[in-house]
Amino acid sequence: MRLLHTSDWHLGRSFHRVNMLDAQAGFLAHLVETVRAREVDAVLVSGDVYDRAVPPLAAVELFDEALHRLAEAGVPTVMISGNHDSARRLGVGAGLIGRAGIHLRTDPAACGTPVVLADAHGDVALYGLPYLEPALVRERFGVEKAGHEPVLAAAMDRVRADLAARPEGTRSVVLAHAFVTGGEASDSERDITVGGVASVPAGVFDGVDYVALGHLHGSQTLTDRVRYSGSPLPYSFSEANHRKSMWLVDLGADGKVTAERVDCPVPRPLARIRGRLEDLLTDPGLARHQEAWVEATLTDPVRPAEPMARLTARFPHALALVFAPERAPEEHGVSYARRLAGRSDRQVAEDFVAHVRGAAPDAHERRVLQEAFDAVRADATVREATP
């Protein structure tokens, strides 16, 4: 059985000030063409269909068009909700849409109920595990402590129990939206840390033939059977070195997996350049980036006048400026933005406590801070999911 694994469409999202809707439409057209040209048997979409819980109308219309085109292709599609989606909104009409071969899996209670497809070698059970917010699903899964690993392990227990009751030789595929240990994150994924832990071990998914992951935006192979497709388009400059693609997965009669990357059309390459403004404007080696989306880090000791206007004269698609001035060794001042770069909300709060009190928070205080951030994030998730 041939599967096309994709995820993290983020319909409705922009890239800095660039509207990406046309690029997203181009990707979806490419996806449907790939389905037809490569004789795909099923499409897997592993979450974050939309970029936010209440997407703009244009994004909803694009999604609706994509569903119609996939249904017209006559190829089954299995799709789960991600942490950016509103599971309840995405799942509206799932029963009716399922009659057209588009199977939306947004209800955590249905983790152990697969979409069953068949080929010449027998059945393939496809289990959709939507993003499982620990605070919201802990009780229904009978998990004592809220955490990503316990709730995913409980969901996978349901998957393995259902699979064990099926005929011998039934092959299995799991779609999941999670941060799995060993994966490499970028700047464009929303933090899903709970209790100080964001990731789960790949071993949670033992017992199935293929795991189609979503959430991380870089295409990655954690094991031969556990892969991220990555996002089809870039959503931050941290993805400048990503090769945007989908996985074309062949699942053999014995469950053996072979996979091939299928490149996605990207409107422009990304480039990160660094140096003094005059050097960036004159360096012949940077000519290759003149048609790219550019993030420029300026190292001038004194901020130059009108830097973006001067930069766009050479790089017309420059989108972002970062200032990192070169300083003499005795100068220790660092900008506020630079001090915060790469730090989590909890770390920023801990730094604030240390700054105003003169001593870092102890273990108990760090735990209280973490619990407060977890509660705020869970409350925001609940409010997003409430119609």
Side-chain angles (χ1 to χ4, degrees), residues 182 218-229 247 259 261:
S219 178
Q220 301 171 59
T221 300
L222 304 186
T223 75
D224 287 342
R225 298 181 182 276
V226 182
R227 299 172 187 264
Y228 282 100
S229 67
W247 285 111
R261 289 179 74 176

Side-chain angles (χ1 to χ4, degrees), residues 164-179:
R166 295 189 176 275
E168 185 176 354
T170 299
R171 289 158 291 165
S172 55
V173 174
V174 164
L175 291 76
H177 196 86
F179 189 165

Side-chain angles (χ1 to χ4, degrees), residues 14-206:
S14 297
F15 181 72
H16 290 263
R17 61 179 180 270
V18 177
N19 187 318
M20 296 290 279
L21 206 64
D22 286 344
Q24 291 166 344
F27 158 69
L28 291 173
H30 168 70
L31 182 148
V32 174
E33 175 57 30
T34 301
V35 166
R36 297 182 186 276
R38 301 301 298 269
E39 299 181 332
V40 170
D41 296 307
V43 176
L44 314 178
V45 186
S46 298
D48 281 353
V49 174
Y50 292 121
D51 188 56
R52 56 182 187 263
V54 184
L57 179 58
V60 177
E61 291 174 338
L62 183 56
F63 177 62
D64 180 63
E65 179 184 348
L67 294 188
H68 278 84
R69 297 182 69 180
L70 287 168
E72 288 169 4
V75 175
T77 298
V78 183
M79 183 178 296
I80 63 172
S81 50
N83 62 301
H84 280 249
D85 300 308
S86 165
R88 293 180 65 181
R89 288 188 174 90
L90 185 63
V92 169
L96 185 61
I97 294 171
R99 297 181 185 180
I102 310 294
H103 305 280
L104 298 173
R105 290 295 185 262
T106 63
D107 183 359
C111 286
T113 304
V115 175
V116 180
L117 305 178
D119 61 11
H121 306 291
D123 288 347
V124 177
L126 297 99
Y127 299 89
L129 278 56
Y131 172 68
L132 302 173
E133 174 58 51
L136 301 183
V137 302
R138 177 179 64 83
E139 290 186 2
R140 76 173 73 177
F141 280 179
V143 173
E144 292 186 5
K145 183 178 179 181
H148 290 295
E149 184 175 353
V151 297
L152 266 174
M156 282 302 300
D157 285 343
R158 296 187 180 193
V159 168
R160 285 185 282 263
D162 179 85
L163 190 58
R166 295 189 176 275
E168 185 176 354
T170 299
R171 289 158 291 165
S172 55
V173 174
V174 164
L175 291 76
H177 196 86
F179 189 165
V180 177
T181 303
E184 183 177 346
S186 63
D187 291 343
S188 53
E189 298 110 7
R190 182 183 292 174
D191 179 36
I192 60 171
T193 302
V194 173
V197 179
S199 65
V200 300
V204 165
F205 299 103
D206 285 351

